[in-house]
Each structure stands twice: as structure tokens, then as C-alpha cells.
Amino acid sequence: MNEPKYFDYLVLGGEHHGKSYNGLRTPILEVRANSQPMARLYARDEPAQITVPVLVSYRVVEHICGDGKHFFIATNDDLTNFDVEEEILKSGISPVN
């Protein structure tokens, strides 16, 4: 049987800058936003609203380092604004290949 393969994603830019996430391969990485709606109290006979978590979506690009290793970078910004290889070293994420 084929086991599902999980990959590391490094987020550059936005509210999750520098954080890494692990998940199945995806073209868009969705992460819970840092601020979520507050919970509300309801009377016993009042129907409760469904609280939907707020997600932030990042597009995923495959970055190839000078040594030939491939990494998944999730960002909505221009990668020329970052020292991508330095950020990869700081994060310690695993390469794709």
C-alpha cells in the first residue's frame, strides 16, 4: 500500500513568517489565522451560530538551492525580498528530495 507522503513547508512573509508546517503535498497551504472570532454564549432556547475558523492561504513554490536540494516555500510575497536559503537554514525544514 502507498503511505501518504508528508512534506515540510516554510512560510515567508505575512503573519506566519518563519514558521514551518508539515502536510500532504498541496499547491495552496492553508493555516489558521492568529486571530480567531470570539466564542459567544447563548440562551438555552436560542440557536447557536457556527463559528468557522479563519484561514490564511499561501501559494506554494518549489525552491531549488545551489546544492540541488528542493524545498517547499509558502508565500504571498515576492521571494526576491527574502534570503530564502538563510531562512531555510534557520528553520531546519527537510528537503523534498
Side-chain angles (χ1 to χ4, degrees):
M1 289 174 65
N2 289 339
E3 295 286 325
K5 191 166 183 182
Y6 289 83
F7 299 95
D8 289 335
Y9 296 89
L10 174 61
V11 177
L12 295 181
E15 65 182 287
H16 299 99
H17 178 79
K19 294 184 181 177
S20 61
Y21 297 90
N22 191 280
L24 297 171
R25 187 170 189 155
T26 181
I28 303 291
L29 180 68
E30 291 187 326
V31 182
R32 287 188 124 195
N34 289 337
S35 60
Q36 296 292 324
M38 294 284 294
R40 287 184 46 192
L41 297 175
Y42 295 92
R44 191 179 321 195
D45 58 343
E46 184 180 355
Q49 294 176 343
I50 296 174
T51 304
V52 178
V54 178
L55 299 175
V56 179
S57 298
Y58 297 99
R59 69 182 164 78
V60 175
V61 295
E62 187 171 348
H63 178 76
I64 303 170
C65 291
D67 60 0
K69 293 181 181 173
H70 297 227
F71 295 90
F72 286 139
I73 306 297
T75 187
N76 290 328
D77 297 330
D78 185 8
L79 286 180
T80 59
N81 298 333
F82 304 102
D83 184 355
V84 178
E85 296 195 17
E86 179 64 31
E87 295 287 344
I88 289 170
L89 287 174
K90 283 195 301 189
S91 71
I93 62 172
S94 300
V96 175
N97 57 347

Coordinates of all heavy atoms in Angstrom, one line a residue:
M1 N 0.8 -1.2 0.0 CA 0.0 0.0 0.0 C 0.9 1.2 0.0 O 2.0 1.3 0.6 CB -0.9 0.0 1.2 CG -2.0 -1.0 1.2 SD -3.0 -1.1 2.6 CE -3.8 0.4 2.7
N2 N 0.4 2.3 -0.6 CA 1.1 3.5 -0.7 C 0.8 4.4 0.6 O -0.4 4.7 0.8 CB 0.7 4.3 -1.9 CG 1.3 3.7 -3.2 OD1 2.2 3.0 -3.1 ND2 0.7 4.1 -4.3
E3 N 1.8 4.6 1.3 CA 1.7 5.5 2.5 C 1.6 7.0 2.0 O 2.3 7.3 1.1 CB 2.9 5.3 3.4 CG 3.0 4.0 4.0 CD 1.9 3.7 5.1 OE1 1.6 4.7 5.9 OE2 1.4 2.6 5.2
P4 N 0.7 7.8 2.6 CA 0.7 9.2 2.3 C 2.1 9.8 2.6 O 2.7 9.5 3.7 CB -0.4 9.8 3.1 CG -0.7 8.8 4.1 CD -0.2 7.5 3.7
K5 N 2.6 10.7 1.8 CA 3.9 11.4 2.0 C 3.6 12.8 2.5 O 2.9 13.5 1.9 CB 4.7 11.3 0.7 CG 6.1 11.7 0.9 CD 6.9 11.4 -0.3 CE 8.4 11.8 0.0 NZ 9.2 11.5 -1.1
Y6 N 4.3 13.1 3.5 CA 4.2 14.4 4.1 C 5.4 15.3 3.8 O 6.5 14.7 3.8 CB 4.0 14.3 5.7 CG 2.6 13.8 6.0 CD1 2.3 12.5 6.0 CD2 1.6 14.7 6.3 CE1 1.0 12.0 6.3 CE2 0.3 14.2 6.6 CZ 0.0 12.9 6.6 OH -1.2 12.4 6.8
F7 N 5.2 16.6 3.7 CA 6.3 17.5 3.3 C 6.3 18.7 4.3 O 5.3 19.0 4.9 CB 6.1 18.0 1.9 CG 6.1 17.0 0.8 CD1 4.9 16.4 0.4 CD2 7.3 16.5 0.3 CE1 4.9 15.5 -0.6 CE2 7.3 15.5 -0.7 CZ 6.1 15.0 -1.1
D8 N 7.5 19.3 4.4 CA 7.7 20.5 5.2 C 7.5 21.7 4.3 O 7.9 21.7 3.2 CB 9.1 20.6 5.8 CG 9.3 19.6 7.0 OD1 8.3 19.1 7.6 OD2 10.5 19.2 7.2
Y9 N 6.8 22.7 4.9 CA 6.5 23.9 4.2 C 7.0 25.1 5.1 O 6.7 25.1 6.3 CB 5.0 24.2 3.9 CG 4.4 23.1 3.0 CD1 3.9 21.9 3.5 CD2 4.3 23.3 1.6 CE1 3.3 21.0 2.7 CE2 3.8 22.4 0.8 CZ 3.3 21.2 1.3 OH 2.7 20.3 0.5
L10 N 7.8 26.0 4.5 CA 8.3 27.2 5.3 C 7.5 28.4 4.8 O 7.5 28.6 3.6 CB 9.8 27.4 5.0 CG 10.4 28.6 5.6 CD1 10.2 28.6 7.1 CD2 11.8 28.8 5.2
V11 N 6.9 29.1 5.7 CA 6.1 30.3 5.3 C 7.1 31.5 5.4 O 7.8 31.7 6.4 CB 4.9 30.5 6.3 CG1 4.2 31.8 5.9 CG2 4.0 29.3 6.2
L12 N 7.1 32.3 4.3 CA 7.9 33.5 4.3 C 6.9 34.7 4.0 O 6.2 34.7 3.0 CB 9.0 33.5 3.2 CG 10.1 32.4 3.4 CD1 11.1 32.5 2.3 CD2 10.7 32.6 4.7
G13 N 6.9 35.6 4.9 CA 6.0 36.8 4.8 C 4.7 36.6 5.5 O 4.3 35.4 5.8
G14 N 4.0 37.6 5.8 CA 2.7 37.5 6.4 C 2.8 37.3 7.9 O 3.9 37.3 8.5
E15 N 1.7 36.9 8.5 CA 1.6 36.8 10.0 C 2.3 35.5 10.5 O 2.6 35.3 11.7 CB 0.2 36.9 10.5 CG -0.7 35.7 10.0 CD -2.1 35.9 10.5 OE1 -2.4 35.7 11.6 OE2 -3.0 36.3 9.6
H16 N 2.6 34.6 9.6 CA 3.2 33.3 10.0 C 4.7 33.2 9.5 O 5.2 32.1 9.4 CB 2.4 32.1 9.4 CG 1.0 32.1 9.8 ND1 0.0 32.6 9.1 CD2 0.5 31.6 11.0 CE1 -1.1 32.4 9.8 NE2 -0.9 31.8 10.9
H17 N 5.3 34.3 9.3 CA 6.7 34.4 8.7 C 7.6 33.6 9.6 O 7.7 33.7 10.8 CB 7.2 35.8 8.6 CG 8.6 35.9 8.1 ND1 8.9 35.7 6.8 CD2 9.8 36.0 8.8 CE1 10.2 35.8 6.6 NE2 10.8 36.0 7.8
G18 N 8.4 32.7 8.9 CA 9.4 31.9 9.6 C 8.9 30.6 10.2 O 9.7 29.8 10.7
K19 N 7.6 30.4 10.2 CA 7.1 29.1 10.8 C 7.0 28.0 9.8 O 6.9 28.3 8.6 CB 5.7 29.4 11.3 CG 5.6 30.3 12.5 CD 4.2 30.4 13.1 CE 4.2 31.4 14.2 NZ 2.9 31.6 14.7
S20 N 7.2 26.8 10.2 CA 7.1 25.7 9.3 C 5.9 24.8 9.6 O 5.6 24.7 10.8 CB 8.4 24.9 9.3 OG 8.6 24.4 10.6
Y21 N 5.4 24.2 8.6 CA 4.2 23.3 8.7 C 4.5 22.1 8.0 O 5.3 22.0 7.0 CB 2.9 24.0 8.2 CG 2.6 25.3 9.0 CD1 3.1 26.5 8.6 CD2 1.8 25.2 10.2 CE1 2.8 27.6 9.4 CE2 1.5 26.3 10.9 CZ 2.0 27.5 10.5 OH 1.7 28.6 11.3
N22 N 3.8 21.0 8.4 CA 4.0 19.7 7.7 C 2.7 19.2 7.3 O 1.7 19.3 8.0 CB 4.6 18.7 8.7 CG 5.1 17.4 8.1 OD1 4.3 16.6 7.8 ND2 6.3 17.3 7.8
G23 N 2.6 18.7 6.0 CA 1.3 18.3 5.5 C 1.5 17.6 4.2 O 2.6 17.4 3.6
L24 N 0.4 17.1 3.6 CA 0.4 16.5 2.3 C 0.7 17.5 1.3 O 0.6 18.7 1.5 CB -1.0 15.8 2.0 CG -1.4 14.7 3.0 CD1 -2.9 14.3 2.7 CD2 -0.5 13.5 2.8
R25 N 1.2 17.0 0.1 CA 1.5 18.0 -1.0 C 0.3 18.8 -1.4 O -0.8 18.2 -1.7 CB 2.1 17.2 -2.2 CG 2.7 18.1 -3.2 CD 3.4 17.4 -4.2 NE 4.1 18.4 -5.1 CZ 5.2 18.1 -5.8 NH1 5.7 17.0 -5.7 NH2 5.7 19.1 -6.5
T26 N 0.5 20.1 -1.5 CA -0.6 20.9 -1.9 C -0.1 22.2 -2.6 O 1.0 22.6 -2.3 CB -1.5 21.4 -0.7 OG1 -2.5 22.2 -1.1 CG2 -0.6 22.1 0.4
P27 N -0.9 22.7 -3.6 CA -0.4 24.0 -4.2 C -0.7 25.2 -3.4 O -0.1 26.3 -3.6 CB -1.2 24.0 -5.5 CG -2.4 23.2 -5.2 CD -2.0 22.2 -4.2
I28 N -1.7 25.1 -2.4 CA -2.0 26.2 -1.5 C -2.0 25.7 -0.1 O -2.7 24.7 0.2 CB -3.5 26.7 -1.9 CG1 -3.6 27.1 -3.3 CG2 -3.9 27.8 -0.9 CD1 -2.9 28.4 -3.7
L29 N -1.2 26.3 0.7 CA -1.1 25.9 2.1 C -2.1 26.8 2.9 O -2.0 28.1 2.8 CB 0.3 26.1 2.7 CG 0.5 25.8 4.1 CD1 0.4 24.3 4.3 CD2 1.9 26.2 4.6
E30 N -3.0 26.2 3.6 CA -4.0 27.0 4.4 C -3.6 26.8 5.9 O -3.5 25.6 6.4 CB -5.4 26.5 4.1 CG -5.8 26.9 2.8 CD -7.3 26.7 2.5 OE1 -7.8 25.6 3.0 OE2 -7.9 27.4 1.8
V31 N -3.5 27.9 6.6 CA -3.1 27.9 8.0 C -4.1 28.7 8.8 O -4.6 29.8 8.3 CB -1.6 28.5 8.2 CG1 -1.2 28.5 9.6 CG2 -0.7 27.8 7.3
R32 N -4.4 28.3 10.0 CA -5.3 29.1 10.9 C -4.7 30.5 11.1 O -3.5 30.6 11.5 CB -5.5 28.4 12.2 CG -6.4 27.2 12.0 CD -6.8 26.7 13.4 NE -8.3 26.6 13.4 CZ -9.0 26.5 14.4 NH1 -8.4 26.4 15.6 NH2 -10.3 26.5 14.4
A33 N -5.5 31.5 11.0 CA -5.0 32.9 11.3 C -4.8 33.0 12.8 O -5.3 32.3 13.6 CB -6.1 33.9 10.9
N34 N -3.9 34.0 13.1 CA -3.6 34.2 14.5 C -4.7 34.7 15.3 O -4.8 34.4 16.5 CB -2.4 35.1 14.7 CG -1.1 34.5 14.2 OD1 -1.0 33.2 14.2 ND2 -0.1 35.3 13.8
S35 N -5.6 35.5 14.7 CA -6.8 36.0 15.4 C -8.0 35.2 15.0 O -8.3 35.1 13.8 CB -6.9 37.5 15.2 OG -7.1 37.7 13.8
Q36 N -8.8 34.7 15.9 CA -10.0 34.0 15.6 C -11.2 34.7 16.2 O -11.0 35.4 17.2 CB -9.9 32.5 16.2 CG -8.8 31.7 15.5 CD -9.1 31.4 14.1 OE1 -10.2 31.1 13.7 NE2 -8.1 31.4 13.3
P37 N -12.4 34.4 15.7 CA -13.6 35.1 16.3 C -13.8 34.6 17.7 O -13.5 33.4 18.1 CB -14.7 34.6 15.4 CG -14.2 33.9 14.3 CD -12.7 33.6 14.5
M38 N -14.3 35.5 18.6 CA -14.5 35.1 20.0 C -15.8 34.2 20.1 O -16.7 34.3 19.3 CB -14.8 36.4 20.8 CG -13.6 37.3 20.9 SD -12.4 36.8 22.0 CE -13.3 36.9 23.6
A39 N -15.7 33.4 21.1 CA -16.9 32.5 21.3 C -18.0 33.3 22.0 O -17.7 34.3 22.7 CB -16.5 31.4 22.3
R40 N -19.2 32.9 21.7 CA -20.4 33.6 22.3 C -21.2 32.7 23.2 O -21.2 31.5 22.9 CB -21.3 34.2 21.2 CG -20.7 35.4 20.5 CD -21.6 35.9 19.5 NE -23.0 36.1 20.0 CZ -24.0 36.4 19.2 NH1 -23.9 36.5 17.9 NH2 -25.2 36.5 19.8
L41 N -21.8 33.2 24.2 CA -22.7 32.4 25.0 C -24.2 32.7 24.5 O -24.5 33.8 24.1 CB -22.6 32.9 26.5 CG -21.3 32.6 27.1 CD1 -21.2 33.2 28.5 CD2 -20.9 31.2 27.1
Y42 N -24.9 31.6 24.5 CA -26.3 31.7 24.0 C -27.3 31.2 25.1 O -26.9 30.3 25.9 CB -26.5 30.8 22.7 CG -25.7 31.3 21.6 CD1 -24.4 30.8 21.3 CD2 -26.2 32.2 20.7 CE1 -23.7 31.3 20.2 CE2 -25.5 32.7 19.6 CZ -24.2 32.2 19.4 OH -23.5 32.7 18.3
A43 N -28.5 31.7 25.0 CA -29.5 31.1 25.9 C -29.9 29.7 25.5 O -29.6 29.3 24.4 CB -30.8 32.0 25.9
R44 N -30.4 29.0 26.4 CA -30.7 27.6 26.2 C -31.6 27.4 25.0 O -31.5 26.4 24.3 CB -31.3 26.9 27.4 CG -31.4 25.5 27.4 CD -32.0 24.9 28.6 NE -31.5 25.6 29.8 CZ -31.6 25.1 31.0 NH1 -32.2 24.0 31.2 NH2 -31.2 25.8 32.1
D45 N -32.6 28.2 24.8 CA -33.5 28.1 23.7 C -33.2 28.8 22.5 O -33.9 28.9 21.5 CB -34.9 28.5 24.2 CG -35.0 29.9 24.7 OD1 -33.9 30.5 25.0 OD2 -36.1 30.5 24.8
E46 N -32.0 29.5 22.4 CA -31.5 30.2 21.3 C -30.6 29.4 20.4 O -29.7 28.8 21.0 CB -30.8 31.5 21.8 CG -30.4 32.4 20.7 CD -29.6 33.6 21.3 OE1 -29.6 33.8 22.5 OE2 -29.1 34.4 20.4
P47 N -30.8 29.3 19.1 CA -29.9 28.5 18.3 C -28.5 29.2 18.2 O -28.4 30.4 18.1 CB -30.6 28.5 16.9 CG -31.5 29.7 16.9 CD -31.9 29.9 18.3
A48 N -27.5 28.4 18.3 CA -26.1 28.9 18.2 C -25.6 29.1 16.8 O -26.0 28.3 15.9 CB -25.2 28.0 19.0
Q49 N -24.8 30.1 16.5 CA -24.2 30.3 15.2 C -23.0 29.3 15.2 O -22.4 29.0 16.2 CB -23.7 31.7 15.0 CG -24.8 32.7 15.0 CD -24.2 34.1 14.9 OE1 -23.1 34.4 15.1 NE2 -25.1 35.0 14.4
I50 N -22.7 28.9 14.0 CA -21.5 28.1 13.8 C -20.3 29.0 13.6 O -20.3 29.9 12.7 CB -21.7 27.1 12.6 CG1 -22.8 26.2 12.8 CG2 -20.4 26.4 12.3 CD1 -23.2 25.3 11.7
T51 N -19.3 28.8 14.4 CA -18.1 29.6 14.2 C -17.1 28.9 13.3 O -16.7 27.8 13.5 CB -17.4 29.8 15.6 OG1 -18.3 30.4 16.5 CG2 -16.2 30.7 15.5
V52 N -16.8 29.5 12.2 CA -15.9 29.0 11.2 C -14.5 29.5 11.4 O -14.3 30.8 11.5 CB -16.4 29.3 9.8 CG1 -15.4 28.7 8.7 CG2 -17.8 28.8 9.5
P53 N -13.5 28.7 11.5 CA -12.1 29.2 11.7 C -11.7 30.1 10.6 O -12.0 29.8 9.4 CB -11.2 28.0 11.9 CG -12.1 26.8 11.8 CD -13.5 27.3 11.5
V54 N -10.9 31.1 10.9 CA -10.4 32.0 9.8 C -9.1 31.4 9.3 O -8.2 31.1 10.2 CB -10.2 33.4 10.3 CG1 -9.5 34.3 9.3 CG2 -11.5 34.0 10.9
L55 N -8.9 31.2 8.0 CA -7.7 30.6 7.4 C -7.0 31.6 6.6 O -7.6 32.5 6.0 CB -8.1 29.4 6.6 CG -8.8 28.2 7.3 CD1 -9.1 27.2 6.2 CD2 -7.9 27.6 8.3
V56 N -5.6 31.5 6.6 CA -4.8 32.3 5.7 C -4.2 31.4 4.7 O -3.7 30.3 5.0 CB -3.6 33.0 6.5 CG1 -2.8 33.8 5.6 CG2 -4.2 33.8 7.6
S57 N -4.4 31.7 3.4 CA -3.9 30.9 2.3 C -2.6 31.4 1.7 O -2.4 32.6 1.5 CB -4.9 30.8 1.2 OG -6.1 30.2 1.6
Y58 N -1.6 30.5 1.5 CA -0.3 30.9 0.9 C -0.1 30.0 -0.3 O -0.3 28.8 -0.2 CB 0.8 30.6 1.9 CG 0.8 31.5 3.2 CD1 0.3 31.0 4.4 CD2 1.3 32.8 3.2 CE1 0.3 31.7 5.5 CE2 1.2 33.6 4.3 CZ 0.7 33.0 5.5 OH 0.7 33.8 6.6
R59 N 0.4 30.6 -1.4 CA 0.7 29.7 -2.5 C 2.1 29.1 -2.3 O 2.9 29.7 -1.7 CB 0.7 30.5 -3.8 CG 1.8 31.5 -4.0 CD 1.7 32.3 -5.3 NE 2.5 33.5 -5.2 CZ 3.8 33.5 -5.4 NH1 4.4 32.3 -5.7 NH2 4.5 34.6 -5.2
V60 N 2.2 27.9 -2.8 CA 3.4 27.1 -2.5 C 4.3 27.1 -3.8 O 3.8 26.8 -4.9 CB 3.1 25.7 -2.1 CG1 4.3 24.8 -2.0 CG2 2.3 25.7 -0.8
V61 N 5.6 27.4 -3.6 CA 6.5 27.3 -4.7 C 7.6 26.4 -4.3 O 7.9 26.2 -3.1 CB 7.1 28.7 -5.1 CG1 6.0 29.6 -5.6 CG2 7.8 29.4 -3.9
E62 N 8.2 25.8 -5.3 CA 9.3 24.8 -5.0 C 10.6 25.6 -5.3 O 10.9 26.1 -6.4 CB 9.3 23.6 -5.9 CG 10.3 22.6 -5.6 CD 10.0 21.3 -6.3 OE1 9.0 21.1 -7.0 OE2 10.9 20.4 -6.3
H63 N 11.4 25.8 -4.2 CA 12.7 26.5 -4.3 C 13.8 25.5 -4.4 O 13.9 24.5 -3.7 CB 12.9 27.4 -3.1 CG 14.2 28.1 -3.1 ND1 14.4 29.2 -3.9 CD2 15.3 27.9 -2.4 CE1 15.6 29.7 -3.7 NE2 16.2 28.9 -2.8
I64 N 14.7 25.7 -5.4 CA 15.9 24.8 -5.6 C 17.1 25.6 -5.1 O 17.4 26.7 -5.7 CB 16.0 24.4 -7.1 CG1 14.7 23.7 -7.5 CG2 17.2 23.5 -7.3 CD1 14.7 23.5 -9.0
C65 N 17.8 25.0 -4.2 CA 19.0 25.7 -3.6 C 20.2 25.4 -4.5 O 20.1 24.5 -5.4 CB 19.3 25.1 -2.2 SG 18.1 25.7 -1.0
G66 N 21.3 26.0 -4.3 CA 22.5 25.9 -5.1 C 23.1 24.5 -5.0 O 23.7 24.0 -6.0
D67 N 22.8 23.7 -3.9 CA 23.3 22.4 -3.8 C 22.4 21.3 -4.4 O 22.6 20.1 -4.3 CB 23.6 22.0 -2.3 CG 22.3 22.1 -1.5 OD1 21.3 22.5 -2.0 OD2 22.5 21.9 -0.2
G68 N 21.3 21.8 -5.1 CA 20.4 20.9 -5.7 C 19.2 20.4 -4.9 O 18.4 19.7 -5.4
K69 N 19.1 20.8 -3.6 CA 18.0 20.4 -2.8 C 16.8 21.2 -3.1 O 16.9 22.4 -3.3 CB 18.4 20.4 -1.3 CG 19.5 19.5 -0.9 CD 19.8 19.6 0.5 CE 20.9 18.6 0.9 NZ 21.4 18.8 2.3
H70 N 15.6 20.6 -3.0 CA 14.4 21.3 -3.3 C 13.6 21.4 -2.0 O 13.5 20.5 -1.2 CB 13.5 20.4 -4.2 CG 14.1 20.2 -5.6 ND1 13.4 20.4 -6.7 CD2 15.3 19.9 -6.0 CE1 14.1 20.2 -7.8 NE2 15.3 19.8 -7.3
F71 N 13.0 22.6 -1.8 CA 12.2 22.9 -0.6 C 10.9 23.6 -1.0 O 10.9 24.3 -2.0 CB 13.0 23.9 0.3 CG 14.2 23.3 0.9 CD1 15.5 23.5 0.2 CD2 14.2 22.6 2.1 CE1 16.6 22.9 0.8 CE2 15.4 22.1 2.6 CZ 16.6 22.3 2.0
F72 N 9.9 23.3 -0.2 CA 8.6 24.0 -0.5 C 8.5 25.2 0.4 O 8.6 25.2 1.6 CB 7.4 23.1 -0.1 CG 7.2 22.0 -1.1 CD1 6.9 20.7 -0.7 CD2 7.3 22.2 -2.5 CE1 6.6 19.7 -1.6 CE2 7.0 21.2 -3.4 CZ 6.7 19.9 -3.0
I73 N 8.3 26.4 -0.3 CA 8.2 27.7 0.3 C 6.7 28.2 0.1 O 6.2 28.2 -1.0 CB 9.1 28.7 -0.2 CG1 10.6 28.2 -0.2 CG2 9.0 30.0 0.5 CD1 11.1 27.9 1.2
A74 N 6.1 28.5 1.2 CA 4.7 29.1 1.1 C 4.7 30.6 1.3 O 5.3 31.0 2.4 CB 3.8 28.4 2.2
T75 N 4.3 31.3 0.4 CA 4.3 32.8 0.5 C 3.3 33.5 -0.4 O 2.8 32.9 -1.4 CB 5.8 33.3 0.1 OG1 5.8 34.7 0.4 CG2 6.1 33.0 -1.4
N76 N 3.0 34.7 -0.1 CA 2.2 35.5 -1.0 C 3.0 36.7 -1.4 O 2.5 37.6 -2.1 CB 0.9 36.0 -0.2 CG -0.1 34.8 0.0 OD1 -0.1 33.9 -0.8 ND2 -0.8 34.9 1.1
D77 N 4.3 36.8 -1.0 CA 5.1 37.9 -1.4 C 6.1 37.5 -2.4 O 6.2 36.3 -2.8 CB 5.9 38.3 -0.1 CG 5.0 38.8 1.0 OD1 4.0 39.4 0.7 OD2 5.4 38.7 2.2
D78 N 6.9 38.4 -2.9 CA 7.9 38.2 -3.9 C 9.1 37.6 -3.2 O 9.6 38.2 -2.2 CB 8.3 39.5 -4.6 CG 9.3 39.3 -5.7 OD1 9.6 38.1 -6.1 OD2 9.8 40.3 -6.3
L79 N 9.6 36.5 -3.6 CA 10.7 35.8 -2.9 C 12.1 36.6 -3.0 O 13.0 36.3 -2.2 CB 10.9 34.4 -3.5 CG 9.9 33.4 -3.0 CD1 10.2 32.0 -3.6 CD2 9.8 33.3 -1.5
T80 N 12.2 37.5 -3.9 CA 13.4 38.3 -4.0 C 13.6 39.2 -2.8 O 14.6 39.7 -2.5 CB 13.4 39.2 -5.3 OG1 12.3 40.0 -5.3 CG2 13.4 38.3 -6.5
N81 N 12.5 39.4 -2.0 CA 12.5 40.2 -0.8 C 13.2 39.4 0.4 O 13.4 40.0 1.5 CB 11.1 40.7 -0.4 CG 10.5 41.5 -1.4 OD1 11.2 42.2 -2.2 ND2 9.2 41.5 -1.5
F82 N 13.4 38.2 0.2 CA 14.0 37.3 1.3 C 15.3 36.7 0.9 O 15.5 36.4 -0.3 CB 12.9 36.2 1.7 CG 11.6 36.7 2.0 CD1 10.5 36.7 1.1 CD2 11.3 37.3 3.3 CE1 9.3 37.1 1.4 CE2 10.0 37.7 3.6 CZ 9.0 37.7 2.6
D83 N 16.1 36.4 1.9 CA 17.2 35.5 1.7 C 16.7 34.1 2.0 O 16.8 33.6 3.1 CB 18.4 35.9 2.6 CG 19.6 35.0 2.4 OD1 19.6 34.1 1.5 OD2 20.6 35.3 3.0
V84 N 16.2 33.4 0.9 CA 15.5 32.2 1.1 C 16.3 31.1 1.7 O 15.9 30.4 2.6 CB 14.8 31.7 -0.2 CG1 14.1 30.4 -0.1 CG2 13.9 32.8 -0.8
E85 N 17.6 31.0 1.2 CA 18.4 29.9 1.7 C 18.8 30.1 3.2 O 18.9 29.2 3.9 CB 19.7 29.8 0.8 CG 19.3 29.4 -0.6 CD 20.4 28.9 -1.4 OE1 21.5 28.6 -0.9 OE2 20.3 28.8 -2.7
E86 N 19.0 31.4 3.6 CA 19.2 31.6 5.0 C 18.0 31.3 5.9 O 18.1 30.7 7.0 CB 19.6 33.1 5.2 CG 19.8 33.5 6.6 CD 21.1 32.8 7.3 OE1 22.0 32.5 6.5 OE2 21.0 32.6 8.5
E87 N 16.8 31.6 5.4 CA 15.6 31.3 6.1 C 15.4 29.8 6.2 O 14.9 29.3 7.2 CB 14.4 31.9 5.4 CG 14.3 33.4 5.4 CD 14.0 34.0 6.8 OE1 13.5 33.3 7.7 OE2 14.3 35.2 7.0
I88 N 15.8 29.0 5.2 CA 15.7 27.6 5.2 C 16.6 27.0 6.2 O 16.3 26.1 7.0 CB 16.0 27.0 3.8 CG1 14.8 27.3 2.8 CG2 16.2 25.5 3.9 CD1 15.1 27.0 1.4
L89 N 17.8 27.5 6.3 CA 18.8 27.1 7.3 C 18.3 27.4 8.7 O 18.4 26.5 9.6 CB 20.2 27.7 7.1 CG 21.0 27.2 5.9 CD1 22.2 28.1 5.7 CD2 21.3 25.8 6.1
K90 N 17.7 28.5 8.9 CA 17.2 28.9 10.3 C 16.1 28.0 10.7 O 16.0 27.6 11.8 CB 16.7 30.3 10.3 CG 17.8 31.3 10.4 CD 17.4 32.7 10.8 CE 16.4 33.3 9.9 NZ 16.1 34.7 10.2
S91 N 15.2 27.6 9.7 CA 14.0 26.8 10.1 C 14.3 25.3 10.3 O 13.7 24.7 11.1 CB 13.0 26.9 8.9 OG 13.4 26.2 7.8
G92 N 15.3 24.8 9.6 CA 15.7 23.4 9.7 C 14.7 22.5 9.0 O 14.6 21.3 9.4
I93 N 13.9 22.9 8.0 CA 13.0 22.1 7.4 C 13.7 21.0 6.5 O 14.9 21.2 6.1 CB 12.0 22.8 6.5 CG1 12.7 23.6 5.4 CG2 11.1 23.7 7.3 CD1 11.7 24.2 4.4
S94 N 13.1 19.9 6.2 CA 13.6 18.9 5.4 C 13.4 19.1 3.9 O 12.4 19.6 3.5 CB 13.0 17.5 5.8 OG 13.2 17.2 7.1
P95 N 14.4 18.8 3.1 CA 14.2 18.9 1.6 C 13.2 18.0 1.1 O 12.9 16.9 1.7 CB 15.6 18.7 1.1 CG 16.3 17.8 2.1 CD 15.7 18.2 3.4
V96 N 12.6 18.3 -0.1 CA 11.6 17.5 -0.7 C 12.3 16.2 -1.3 O 11.8 15.1 -1.2 CB 10.9 18.2 -1.9 CG1 10.0 17.3 -2.6 CG2 10.2 19.4 -1.3
N97 N 13.5 16.4 -1.9 CA 14.2 15.3 -2.5 C 15.3 14.7 -1.6 O 15.8 15.3 -0.7 CB 14.8 15.7 -3.8 CG 15.7 16.9 -3.8 OD1 15.8 17.5 -2.8 ND2 16.4 17.1 -4.9

